[in-house]
Amino acid sequence: MINQNSTCNSEALKKGNWVKLICGASNQDLPSINDLCSIYGAAGVHCIDLAADEAVVHAARNAIDWVFETYGKKPWLMISLSDGKDSHFRKAWFNPDLCPSNCLRPCQNSCPAHAIENSGGVNAKKCYGCGRCIDTCPLGIIQEKDRRLTLRDFAPLLTTIKPDAVEIHTAPGRGKEFEKTIKEIFKADLQLKRLSVSCGLQGHGINHEQLAEELWLRHKFLRIHNQKPLWQIDGRRMSGDLGAGAAKIAVKLWERLRPIAPPGPLQLAGGTNESTIKYLPEIKGPEGIAFGGKARKIIQPWLEEAQRKGISLREWPEGWEAALSEAKRLINPWLVRKSL
C-alpha cells in the first residue's frame, strides 16, 4: 500500500508522477464532491482541488479522512481562488419560462455536468461553468453569472478552512491584481505546501512567450514570500472530456513553455484525459497532470445512481468497485510512469 502522506505527495512532484483531481472551482454538488474525493483519493491522487466554500471543503475533508483511515492515503486539499474574472468561477443561468414549449433543449444535451434536466433551469450546485450550453441556446437566453469571492473574503475563509495548498487563477495583464491576492492570502498566516498558479493562452490573445513572461512576473512575487510554486498550464480549459484534440493542445502548450518557464514543476490541465500521456515523451515530461471534466465524466453514472439510491458510493459496494476501477484506469498510467 502506498502511503500518501505529505512527503509522498511532494516526492510525486519531483518524480513526475503528480496527479491532481479538479472537482471544479464552482462545483457545489456536495454528495458528488464527497464521492469524487473518496473515489479518486482511494485511487491515489496526490491533491484535490476544490471551490473555496466551507460546505464543499467539509464534504471533501470527510472523504479524505475516510480514505486515510481505509487506504492509508491522504491527498492534499487545495482550494482555488482568482485574481480577476475567470471562466472557472462562473455559473450558467436562464429563466426556463422563456423557453418555447417545443424547444429541443440543446443546452441539456451539451451539459457535461447534467446540471440541466428535462424541465426547469440550471441546477447551480452542479454547474461548474464550462459554458457549453451558452452557445447552443437558439434564443440566446443563457447567461453566465460571476461567482468569485471578493478579495476581502480570502483571508477570513482561508483562516477557517486551512487548506494544504492554494491555487490562484490569473490572466495576462493582471500582475498587480495577482500581487494583491498574494498579500491577502498571507494575511491568513498559513503554512502552504504549494502555491499553484493557473494560466493559459485561450481567450487572451497572447503567444506562449508572452505567457512565460507573465509567469516569470508572478514568480517574482512568490519568491518574495518564499513560496514553492506549481505552474498549472491550462491548455483548452474545461475540455478534457472532448477527446484527443484537446489533449494535444495541452501537450503542445507544455512543449513550448518548458524551455522558457520559471523554476518550479509544470502541471498539465485544460483538455487532459486518457489520451494525454500518448503525446508525451517517456522521460523528461511534465511533473504532473490535473484531471477535471474527464475524471468526473467517467464515474458520472455511478455518482448519479448513488444519488438516486439516496446513499454515498462508499455504501454501495458494486458501484464503488466499478467507479474505482474507472478512476484507476485514468490515473494509474501517471502513477507508474518514470518521467524524470
PDB file of all heavy atoms in Angstrom, residues 296-329:
ATOM      1  N   ARG A 296     -14.530  13.490 -13.821  1.00  0.00           N
ATOM      2  CA  ARG A 296     -15.919  13.497 -13.370  1.00  0.00           C
ATOM      3  C   ARG A 296     -16.814  12.672 -14.298  1.00  0.00           C
ATOM      4  O   ARG A 296     -17.682  11.927 -13.853  1.00  0.00           O
ATOM      5  CB  ARG A 296     -16.429  14.935 -13.268  1.00  0.00           C
ATOM      6  CG  ARG A 296     -15.733  15.762 -12.195  1.00  0.00           C
ATOM      7  CD  ARG A 296     -16.394  17.113 -12.010  1.00  0.00           C
ATOM      8  NE  ARG A 296     -16.215  17.996 -13.153  1.00  0.00           N
ATOM      9  CZ  ARG A 296     -15.234  18.887 -13.266  1.00  0.00           C
ATOM     10  NH1 ARG A 296     -14.318  18.981 -12.311  1.00  0.00           N
ATOM     11  NH2 ARG A 296     -15.146  19.670 -14.310  1.00  0.00           N
ATOM     12  N   LYS A 297     -16.577  12.802 -15.601  1.00  0.00           N
ATOM     13  CA  LYS A 297     -17.467  12.160 -16.574  1.00  0.00           C
ATOM     14  C   LYS A 297     -17.439  10.645 -16.487  1.00  0.00           C
ATOM     15  O   LYS A 297     -18.480   9.983 -16.584  1.00  0.00           O
ATOM     16  CB  LYS A 297     -17.087  12.600 -17.986  1.00  0.00           C
ATOM     17  CG  LYS A 297     -18.009  12.042 -19.066  1.00  0.00           C
ATOM     18  CD  LYS A 297     -17.659  12.582 -20.438  1.00  0.00           C
ATOM     19  CE  LYS A 297     -18.622  12.053 -21.493  1.00  0.00           C
ATOM     20  NZ  LYS A 297     -18.310  12.617 -22.839  1.00  0.00           N
ATOM     21  N   ILE A 298     -16.246  10.060 -16.312  1.00  0.00           N
ATOM     22  CA  ILE A 298     -16.154   8.609 -16.387  1.00  0.00           C
ATOM     23  C   ILE A 298     -16.814   7.904 -15.210  1.00  0.00           C
ATOM     24  O   ILE A 298     -17.161   6.718 -15.307  1.00  0.00           O
ATOM     25  CB  ILE A 298     -14.687   8.134 -16.537  1.00  0.00           C
ATOM     26  CG1 ILE A 298     -13.843   8.545 -15.324  1.00  0.00           C
ATOM     27  CG2 ILE A 298     -14.094   8.631 -17.832  1.00  0.00           C
ATOM     28  CD1 ILE A 298     -12.418   7.998 -15.381  1.00  0.00           C
ATOM     29  N   ILE A 299     -17.002   8.614 -14.088  1.00  0.00           N
ATOM     30  CA  ILE A 299     -17.701   7.958 -12.979  1.00  0.00           C
ATOM     31  C   ILE A 299     -19.084   8.572 -12.732  1.00  0.00           C
ATOM     32  O   ILE A 299     -19.759   8.215 -11.762  1.00  0.00           O
ATOM     33  CB  ILE A 299     -16.873   7.974 -11.677  1.00  0.00           C
ATOM     34  CG1 ILE A 299     -16.697   9.387 -11.126  1.00  0.00           C
ATOM     35  CG2 ILE A 299     -15.518   7.312 -11.888  1.00  0.00           C
ATOM     36  CD1 ILE A 299     -16.137   9.381  -9.708  1.00  0.00           C
ATOM     37  N   GLN A 300     -19.521   9.457 -13.655  1.00  0.00           N
ATOM     38  CA  GLN A 300     -20.821  10.107 -13.523  1.00  0.00           C
ATOM     39  C   GLN A 300     -21.975   9.115 -13.372  1.00  0.00           C
ATOM     40  O   GLN A 300     -22.870   9.326 -12.545  1.00  0.00           O
ATOM     41  CB  GLN A 300     -21.076  11.017 -14.730  1.00  0.00           C
ATOM     42  CG  GLN A 300     -22.278  11.939 -14.595  1.00  0.00           C
ATOM     43  CD  GLN A 300     -21.990  13.150 -13.738  1.00  0.00           C
ATOM     44  OE1 GLN A 300     -20.845  13.572 -13.614  1.00  0.00           O
ATOM     45  NE2 GLN A 300     -23.017  13.703 -13.131  1.00  0.00           N
ATOM     46  N   PRO A 301     -22.007   8.018 -14.138  1.00  0.00           N
ATOM     47  CA  PRO A 301     -23.149   7.097 -13.993  1.00  0.00           C
ATOM     48  C   PRO A 301     -23.305   6.570 -12.570  1.00  0.00           C
ATOM     49  O   PRO A 301     -24.429   6.434 -12.067  1.00  0.00           O
ATOM     50  CB  PRO A 301     -22.810   5.967 -14.967  1.00  0.00           C
ATOM     51  CG  PRO A 301     -21.925   6.598 -15.996  1.00  0.00           C
ATOM     52  CD  PRO A 301     -21.111   7.602 -15.226  1.00  0.00           C
ATOM     53  N   TRP A 302     -22.209   6.274 -11.905  1.00  0.00           N
ATOM     54  CA  TRP A 302     -22.294   5.744 -10.544  1.00  0.00           C
ATOM     55  C   TRP A 302     -22.615   6.838  -9.529  1.00  0.00           C
ATOM     56  O   TRP A 302     -23.317   6.592  -8.555  1.00  0.00           O
ATOM     57  CB  TRP A 302     -20.990   5.026 -10.190  1.00  0.00           C
ATOM     58  CG  TRP A 302     -20.795   3.823 -11.058  1.00  0.00           C
ATOM     59  CD1 TRP A 302     -21.416   2.606 -10.944  1.00  0.00           C
ATOM     60  CD2 TRP A 302     -19.952   3.740 -12.203  1.00  0.00           C
ATOM     61  NE1 TRP A 302     -21.001   1.769 -11.946  1.00  0.00           N
ATOM     62  CE2 TRP A 302     -20.103   2.430 -12.741  1.00  0.00           C
ATOM     63  CE3 TRP A 302     -19.082   4.625 -12.835  1.00  0.00           C
ATOM     64  CZ2 TRP A 302     -19.415   2.003 -13.865  1.00  0.00           C
ATOM     65  CZ3 TRP A 302     -18.393   4.203 -13.955  1.00  0.00           C
ATOM     66  CH2 TRP A 302     -18.562   2.906 -14.468  1.00  0.00           C
ATOM     67  N   LEU A 303     -22.121   8.045  -9.785  1.00  0.00           N
ATOM     68  CA  LEU A 303     -22.469   9.168  -8.911  1.00  0.00           C
ATOM     69  C   LEU A 303     -23.981   9.389  -8.924  1.00  0.00           C
ATOM     70  O   LEU A 303     -24.616   9.558  -7.871  1.00  0.00           O
ATOM     71  CB  LEU A 303     -21.762  10.447  -9.361  1.00  0.00           C
ATOM     72  CG  LEU A 303     -20.238  10.499  -9.319  1.00  0.00           C
ATOM     73  CD1 LEU A 303     -19.748  11.856  -9.805  1.00  0.00           C
ATOM     74  CD2 LEU A 303     -19.726  10.233  -7.908  1.00  0.00           C
ATOM     75  N   GLU A 304     -24.549   9.388 -10.119  1.00  0.00           N
ATOM     76  CA  GLU A 304     -25.977   9.667 -10.245  1.00  0.00           C
ATOM     77  C   GLU A 304     -26.818   8.526  -9.690  1.00  0.00           C
ATOM     78  O   GLU A 304     -27.855   8.751  -9.059  1.00  0.00           O
ATOM     79  CB  GLU A 304     -26.321   9.941 -11.709  1.00  0.00           C
ATOM     80  CG  GLU A 304     -25.692  11.222 -12.226  1.00  0.00           C
ATOM     81  CD  GLU A 304     -26.015  11.495 -13.676  1.00  0.00           C
ATOM     82  OE1 GLU A 304     -26.552  10.596 -14.360  1.00  0.00           O
ATOM     83  OE2 GLU A 304     -25.749  12.621 -14.133  1.00  0.00           O
ATOM     84  N   GLU A 305     -26.384   7.296  -9.927  1.00  0.00           N
ATOM     85  CA  GLU A 305     -27.149   6.157  -9.408  1.00  0.00           C
ATOM     86  C   GLU A 305     -27.107   6.140  -7.879  1.00  0.00           C
ATOM     87  O   GLU A 305     -28.123   5.831  -7.226  1.00  0.00           O
ATOM     88  CB  GLU A 305     -26.590   4.852  -9.964  1.00  0.00           C
ATOM     89  CG  GLU A 305     -27.354   3.611  -9.548  1.00  0.00           C
ATOM     90  CD  GLU A 305     -28.810   3.619  -9.989  1.00  0.00           C
ATOM     91  OE1 GLU A 305     -29.142   4.305 -10.986  1.00  0.00           O
ATOM     92  OE2 GLU A 305     -29.625   2.938  -9.333  1.00  0.00           O
ATOM     93  N   ALA A 306     -25.962   6.462  -7.299  1.00  0.00           N
ATOM     94  CA  ALA A 306     -25.867   6.519  -5.842  1.00  0.00           C
ATOM     95  C   ALA A 306     -26.817   7.578  -5.288  1.00  0.00           C
ATOM     96  O   ALA A 306     -27.479   7.350  -4.258  1.00  0.00           O
ATOM     97  CB  ALA A 306     -24.430   6.807  -5.416  1.00  0.00           C
ATOM     98  N   GLN A 307     -26.883   8.728  -5.970  1.00  0.00           N
ATOM     99  CA  GLN A 307     -27.782   9.774  -5.505  1.00  0.00           C
ATOM    100  C   GLN A 307     -29.241   9.333  -5.631  1.00  0.00           C
ATOM    101  O   GLN A 307     -30.066   9.654  -4.775  1.00  0.00           O
ATOM    102  CB  GLN A 307     -27.520  11.071  -6.268  1.00  0.00           C
ATOM    103  CG  GLN A 307     -26.195  11.724  -5.880  1.00  0.00           C
ATOM    104  CD  GLN A 307     -26.028  13.128  -6.430  1.00  0.00           C
ATOM    105  OE1 GLN A 307     -26.993  13.834  -6.655  1.00  0.00           O
ATOM    106  NE2 GLN A 307     -24.790  13.538  -6.639  1.00  0.00           N
ATOM    107  N   ARG A 308     -29.558   8.608  -6.709  1.00  0.00           N
ATOM    108  CA  ARG A 308     -30.931   8.096  -6.844  1.00  0.00           C
ATOM    109  C   ARG A 308     -31.265   7.110  -5.727  1.00  0.00           C
ATOM    110  O   ARG A 308     -32.397   7.036  -5.257  1.00  0.00           O
ATOM    111  CB  ARG A 308     -31.118   7.426  -8.206  1.00  0.00           C
ATOM    112  CG  ARG A 308     -31.331   8.394  -9.353  1.00  0.00           C
ATOM    113  CD  ARG A 308     -31.798   7.696 -10.612  1.00  0.00           C
ATOM    114  NE  ARG A 308     -30.733   6.910 -11.218  1.00  0.00           N
ATOM    115  CZ  ARG A 308     -29.903   7.369 -12.145  1.00  0.00           C
ATOM    116  NH1 ARG A 308     -30.005   8.627 -12.560  1.00  0.00           N
ATOM    117  NH2 ARG A 308     -28.975   6.600 -12.663  1.00  0.00           N
ATOM    118  N   LYS A 309     -30.259   6.351  -5.299  1.00  0.00           N
ATOM    119  CA  LYS A 309     -30.456   5.407  -4.197  1.00  0.00           C
ATOM    120  C   LYS A 309     -30.483   6.099  -2.837  1.00  0.00           C
ATOM    121  O   LYS A 309     -30.854   5.498  -1.829  1.00  0.00           O
ATOM    122  CB  LYS A 309     -29.325   4.365  -4.200  1.00  0.00           C
ATOM    123  CG  LYS A 309     -29.333   3.387  -5.374  1.00  0.00           C
ATOM    124  CD  LYS A 309     -28.099   2.498  -5.320  1.00  0.00           C
ATOM    125  CE  LYS A 309     -28.065   1.480  -6.445  1.00  0.00           C
ATOM    126  NZ  LYS A 309     -29.091   0.423  -6.266  1.00  0.00           N
ATOM    127  N   GLY A 310     -30.049   7.378  -2.813  1.00  0.00           N
ATOM    128  CA  GLY A 310     -30.016   8.119  -1.562  1.00  0.00           C
ATOM    129  C   GLY A 310     -28.873   7.716  -0.656  1.00  0.00           C
ATOM    130  O   GLY A 310     -28.966   7.842   0.572  1.00  0.00           O
ATOM    131  N   ILE A 311     -27.766   7.216  -1.250  1.00  0.00           N
ATOM    132  CA  ILE A 311     -26.610   6.769  -0.476  1.00  0.00           C
ATOM    133  C   ILE A 311     -25.339   7.317  -1.112  1.00  0.00           C
ATOM    134  O   ILE A 311     -25.360   7.852  -2.224  1.00  0.00           O
ATOM    135  CB  ILE A 311     -26.525   5.228  -0.419  1.00  0.00           C
ATOM    136  CG1 ILE A 311     -26.450   4.647  -1.839  1.00  0.00           C
ATOM    137  CG2 ILE A 311     -27.704   4.644   0.354  1.00  0.00           C
ATOM    138  CD1 ILE A 311     -26.272   3.151  -1.892  1.00  0.00           C
ATOM    139  N   SER A 312     -24.229   7.173  -0.400  1.00  0.00           N
ATOM    140  CA  SER A 312     -22.943   7.512  -0.984  1.00  0.00           C
ATOM    141  C   SER A 312     -22.388   6.288  -1.703  1.00  0.00           C
ATOM    142  O   SER A 312     -22.802   5.157  -1.443  1.00  0.00           O
ATOM    143  CB  SER A 312     -21.956   7.979   0.089  1.00  0.00           C
ATOM    144  OG  SER A 312     -21.509   6.879   0.856  1.00  0.00           O
ATOM    145  N   LEU A 313     -21.433   6.501  -2.580  1.00  0.00           N
ATOM    146  CA  LEU A 313     -20.803   5.388  -3.279  1.00  0.00           C
ATOM    147  C   LEU A 313     -20.133   4.424  -2.310  1.00  0.00           C
ATOM    148  O   LEU A 313     -20.052   3.222  -2.568  1.00  0.00           O
ATOM    149  CB  LEU A 313     -19.769   5.919  -4.277  1.00  0.00           C
ATOM    150  CG  LEU A 313     -20.228   6.109  -5.724  1.00  0.00           C
ATOM    151  CD1 LEU A 313     -19.115   6.707  -6.563  1.00  0.00           C
ATOM    152  CD2 LEU A 313     -20.681   4.782  -6.325  1.00  0.00           C
ATOM    153  N   ARG A 314     -19.645   4.953  -1.205  1.00  0.00           N
ATOM    154  CA  ARG A 314     -18.980   4.108  -0.215  1.00  0.00           C
ATOM    155  C   ARG A 314     -19.940   3.083   0.388  1.00  0.00           C
ATOM    156  O   ARG A 314     -19.506   2.062   0.910  1.00  0.00           O
ATOM    157  CB  ARG A 314     -18.371   4.971   0.894  1.00  0.00           C
ATOM    158  CG  ARG A 314     -17.347   5.943   0.350  1.00  0.00           C
ATOM    159  CD  ARG A 314     -16.613   6.776   1.363  1.00  0.00           C
ATOM    160  NE  ARG A 314     -17.217   7.160   2.585  1.00  0.00           N
ATOM    161  CZ  ARG A 314     -17.171   8.405   3.090  1.00  0.00           C
ATOM    162  NH1 ARG A 314     -16.571   9.369   2.404  1.00  0.00           N
ATOM    163  NH2 ARG A 314     -17.693   8.685   4.248  1.00  0.00           N
ATOM    164  N   GLU A 315     -21.228   3.355   0.314  1.00  0.00           N
ATOM    165  CA  GLU A 315     -22.233   2.453   0.873  1.00  0.00           C
ATOM    166  C   GLU A 315     -22.814   1.495  -0.169  1.00  0.00           C
ATOM    167  O   GLU A 315     -23.727   0.735   0.136  1.00  0.00           O
ATOM    168  CB  GLU A 315     -23.370   3.274   1.490  1.00  0.00           C
ATOM    169  CG  GLU A 315     -22.923   4.206   2.602  1.00  0.00           C
ATOM    170  CD  GLU A 315     -23.997   5.193   3.009  1.00  0.00           C
ATOM    171  OE1 GLU A 315     -24.550   5.884   2.126  1.00  0.00           O
ATOM    172  OE2 GLU A 315     -24.299   5.257   4.222  1.00  0.00           O
ATOM    173  N   TRP A 316     -22.265   1.520  -1.372  1.00  0.00           N
ATOM    174  CA  TRP A 316     -22.776   0.690  -2.477  1.00  0.00           C
ATOM    175  C   TRP A 316     -21.593  -0.075  -3.060  1.00  0.00           C
ATOM    176  O   TRP A 316     -20.920   0.408  -3.969  1.00  0.00           O
ATOM    177  CB  TRP A 316     -23.423   1.603  -3.523  1.00  0.00           C
ATOM    178  CG  TRP A 316     -23.923   0.937  -4.734  1.00  0.00           C
ATOM    179  CD1 TRP A 316     -24.357  -0.356  -4.868  1.00  0.00           C
ATOM    180  CD2 TRP A 316     -24.039   1.533  -6.038  1.00  0.00           C
ATOM    181  NE1 TRP A 316     -24.735  -0.603  -6.166  1.00  0.00           N
ATOM    182  CE2 TRP A 316     -24.563   0.535  -6.899  1.00  0.00           C
ATOM    183  CE3 TRP A 316     -23.778   2.798  -6.542  1.00  0.00           C
ATOM    184  CZ2 TRP A 316     -24.799   0.779  -8.244  1.00  0.00           C
ATOM    185  CZ3 TRP A 316     -24.016   3.049  -7.886  1.00  0.00           C
ATOM    186  CH2 TRP A 316     -24.528   2.052  -8.713  1.00  0.00           C
ATOM    187  N   PRO A 317     -21.288  -1.243  -2.546  1.00  0.00           N
ATOM    188  CA  PRO A 317     -20.066  -1.957  -2.920  1.00  0.00           C
ATOM    189  C   PRO A 317     -19.880  -2.180  -4.413  1.00  0.00           C
ATOM    190  O   PRO A 317     -18.780  -1.979  -4.941  1.00  0.00           O
ATOM    191  CB  PRO A 317     -20.206  -3.293  -2.169  1.00  0.00           C
ATOM    192  CG  PRO A 317     -21.083  -2.978  -1.002  1.00  0.00           C
ATOM    193  CD  PRO A 317     -22.046  -1.954  -1.496  1.00  0.00           C
ATOM    194  N   GLU A 318     -20.933  -2.591  -5.125  1.00  0.00           N
ATOM    195  CA  GLU A 318     -20.783  -2.851  -6.557  1.00  0.00           C
ATOM    196  C   GLU A 318     -20.464  -1.567  -7.318  1.00  0.00           C
ATOM    197  O   GLU A 318     -19.597  -1.543  -8.197  1.00  0.00           O
ATOM    198  CB  GLU A 318     -22.060  -3.487  -7.121  1.00  0.00           C
ATOM    199  CG  GLU A 318     -22.381  -4.860  -6.548  1.00  0.00           C
ATOM    200  CD  GLU A 318     -23.143  -4.778  -5.230  1.00  0.00           C
ATOM    201  OE1 GLU A 318     -23.407  -3.647  -4.742  1.00  0.00           O
ATOM    202  OE2 GLU A 318     -23.461  -5.845  -4.673  1.00  0.00           O
ATOM    203  N   GLY A 319     -21.185  -0.492  -6.981  1.00  0.00           N
ATOM    204  CA  GLY A 319     -20.936   0.785  -7.630  1.00  0.00           C
ATOM    205  C   GLY A 319     -19.562   1.343  -7.296  1.00  0.00           C
ATOM    206  O   GLY A 319     -18.869   1.887  -8.154  1.00  0.00           O
ATOM    207  N   TRP A 320     -19.160   1.173  -6.033  1.00  0.00           N
ATOM    208  CA  TRP A 320     -17.844   1.645  -5.604  1.00  0.00           C
ATOM    209  C   TRP A 320     -16.734   0.961  -6.393  1.00  0.00           C
ATOM    210  O   TRP A 320     -15.845   1.624  -6.925  1.00  0.00           O
ATOM    211  CB  TRP A 320     -17.658   1.388  -4.115  1.00  0.00           C
ATOM    212  CG  TRP A 320     -16.247   1.624  -3.645  1.00  0.00           C
ATOM    213  CD1 TRP A 320     -15.252   0.695  -3.540  1.00  0.00           C
ATOM    214  CD2 TRP A 320     -15.664   2.880  -3.292  1.00  0.00           C
ATOM    215  NE1 TRP A 320     -14.083   1.286  -3.116  1.00  0.00           N
ATOM    216  CE2 TRP A 320     -14.310   2.628  -2.958  1.00  0.00           C
ATOM    217  CE3 TRP A 320     -16.158   4.178  -3.216  1.00  0.00           C
ATOM    218  CZ2 TRP A 320     -13.460   3.643  -2.557  1.00  0.00           C
ATOM    219  CZ3 TRP A 320     -15.301   5.192  -2.801  1.00  0.00           C
ATOM    220  CH2 TRP A 320     -13.961   4.926  -2.484  1.00  0.00           C
ATOM    221  N   GLU A 321     -16.776  -0.348  -6.483  1.00  0.00           N
ATOM    222  CA  GLU A 321     -15.721  -1.079  -7.179  1.00  0.00           C
ATOM    223  C   GLU A 321     -15.678  -0.725  -8.654  1.00  0.00           C
ATOM    224  O   GLU A 321     -14.594  -0.591  -9.242  1.00  0.00           O
ATOM    225  CB  GLU A 321     -15.925  -2.591  -6.999  1.00  0.00           C
ATOM    226  CG  GLU A 321     -15.665  -3.078  -5.590  1.00  0.00           C
ATOM    227  CD  GLU A 321     -14.250  -2.800  -5.117  1.00  0.00           C
ATOM    228  OE1 GLU A 321     -13.311  -2.802  -5.950  1.00  0.00           O
ATOM    229  OE2 GLU A 321     -14.061  -2.569  -3.908  1.00  0.00           O
ATOM    230  N   ALA A 322     -16.831  -0.554  -9.282  1.00  0.00           N
ATOM    231  CA  ALA A 322     -16.867  -0.203 -10.705  1.00  0.00           C
ATOM    232  C   ALA A 322     -16.307   1.196 -10.941  1.00  0.00           C
ATOM    233  O   ALA A 322     -15.502   1.418 -11.858  1.00  0.00           O
ATOM    234  CB  ALA A 322     -18.304  -0.301 -11.223  1.00  0.00           C
ATOM    235  N   ALA A 323     -16.711   2.156 -10.109  1.00  0.00           N
ATOM    236  CA  ALA A 323     -16.228   3.528 -10.262  1.00  0.00           C
ATOM    237  C   ALA A 323     -14.734   3.621  -9.955  1.00  0.00           C
ATOM    238  O   ALA A 323     -13.988   4.328 -10.645  1.00  0.00           O
ATOM    239  CB  ALA A 323     -17.022   4.467  -9.350  1.00  0.00           C
ATOM    240  N   LEU A 324     -14.284   2.913  -8.924  1.00  0.00           N
ATOM    241  CA  LEU A 324     -12.866   2.934  -8.566  1.00  0.00           C
ATOM    242  C   LEU A 324     -12.013   2.343  -9.692  1.00  0.00           C
ATOM    243  O   LEU A 324     -10.925   2.845  -9.989  1.00  0.00           O
ATOM    244  CB  LEU A 324     -12.643   2.145  -7.275  1.00  0.00           C
ATOM    245  CG  LEU A 324     -11.219   2.092  -6.735  1.00  0.00           C
ATOM    246  CD1 LEU A 324     -10.682   3.487  -6.449  1.00  0.00           C
ATOM    247  CD2 LEU A 324     -11.159   1.239  -5.465  1.00  0.00           C
ATOM    248  N   SER A 325     -12.510   1.308 -10.332  1.00  0.00           N
ATOM    249  CA  SER A 325     -11.792   0.706 -11.460  1.00  0.00           C
ATOM    250  C   SER A 325     -11.618   1.708 -12.597  1.00  0.00           C
ATOM    251  O   SER A 325     -10.543   1.807 -13.206  1.00  0.00           O
ATOM    252  CB  SER A 325     -12.546  -0.523 -11.949  1.00  0.00           C
ATOM    253  OG  SER A 325     -11.909  -1.087 -13.088  1.00  0.00           O
ATOM    254  N   GLU A 326     -12.672   2.486 -12.888  1.00  0.00           N
ATOM    255  CA  GLU A 326     -12.589   3.504 -13.944  1.00  0.00           C
ATOM    256  C   GLU A 326     -11.610   4.602 -13.565  1.00  0.00           C
ATOM    257  O   GLU A 326     -10.828   5.075 -14.402  1.00  0.00           O
ATOM    258  CB  GLU A 326     -13.975   4.106 -14.199  1.00  0.00           C
ATOM    259  CG  GLU A 326     -14.916   3.210 -14.973  1.00  0.00           C
ATOM    260  CD  GLU A 326     -14.402   2.925 -16.368  1.00  0.00           C
ATOM    261  OE1 GLU A 326     -14.054   3.872 -17.093  1.00  0.00           O
ATOM    262  OE2 GLU A 326     -14.335   1.737 -16.748  1.00  0.00           O
ATOM    263  N   ALA A 327     -11.646   5.027 -12.311  1.00  0.00           N
ATOM    264  CA  ALA A 327     -10.727   6.077 -11.855  1.00  0.00           C
ATOM    265  C   ALA A 327      -9.279   5.617 -11.963  1.00  0.00           C
ATOM    266  O   ALA A 327      -8.405   6.365 -12.428  1.00  0.00           O
ATOM    267  CB  ALA A 327     -11.059   6.475 -10.418  1.00  0.00           C
ATOM    268  N   LYS A 328      -9.017   4.386 -11.561  1.00  0.00           N
ATOM    269  CA  LYS A 328      -7.652   3.857 -11.643  1.00  0.00           C
ATOM    270  C   LYS A 328      -7.188   3.744 -13.083  1.00  0.00           C
ATOM    271  O   LYS A 328      -6.009   3.980 -13.393  1.00  0.00           O
ATOM    272  CB  LYS A 328      -7.579   2.493 -10.959  1.00  0.00           C
ATOM    273  CG  LYS A 328      -7.640   2.560  -9.445  1.00  0.00           C
ATOM    274  CD  LYS A 328      -7.534   1.168  -8.840  1.00  0.00           C
ATOM    275  CE  LYS A 328      -7.482   1.212  -7.318  1.00  0.00           C
ATOM    276  NZ  LYS A 328      -7.397  -0.143  -6.742  1.00  0.00           N
ATOM    277  N   ARG A 329      -8.086   3.384 -13.978  1.00  0.00           N
ATOM    278  CA  ARG A 329      -7.720   3.266 -15.390  1.00  0.00           C
ATOM    279  C   ARG A 329      -7.239   4.610 -15.942  1.00  0.00           C
ATOM    280  O   ARG A 329      -6.358   4.656 -16.810  1.00  0.00           O
ATOM    281  CB  ARG A 329      -8.919   2.757 -16.188  1.00  0.00           C
ATOM    282  CG  ARG A 329      -8.585   2.392 -17.637  1.00  0.00           C
ATOM    283  CD  ARG A 329      -9.767   1.761 -18.349  1.00  0.00           C
ATOM    284  NE  ARG A 329     -10.046   0.440 -17.809  1.00  0.00           N
ATOM    285  CZ  ARG A 329     -11.157   0.110 -17.157  1.00  0.00           C
ATOM    286  NH1 ARG A 329     -12.091   1.032 -16.939  1.00  0.00           N
ATOM    287  NH2 ARG A 329     -11.346  -1.106 -16.718  1.00  0.00           N
TER     288      ARG A 329
END
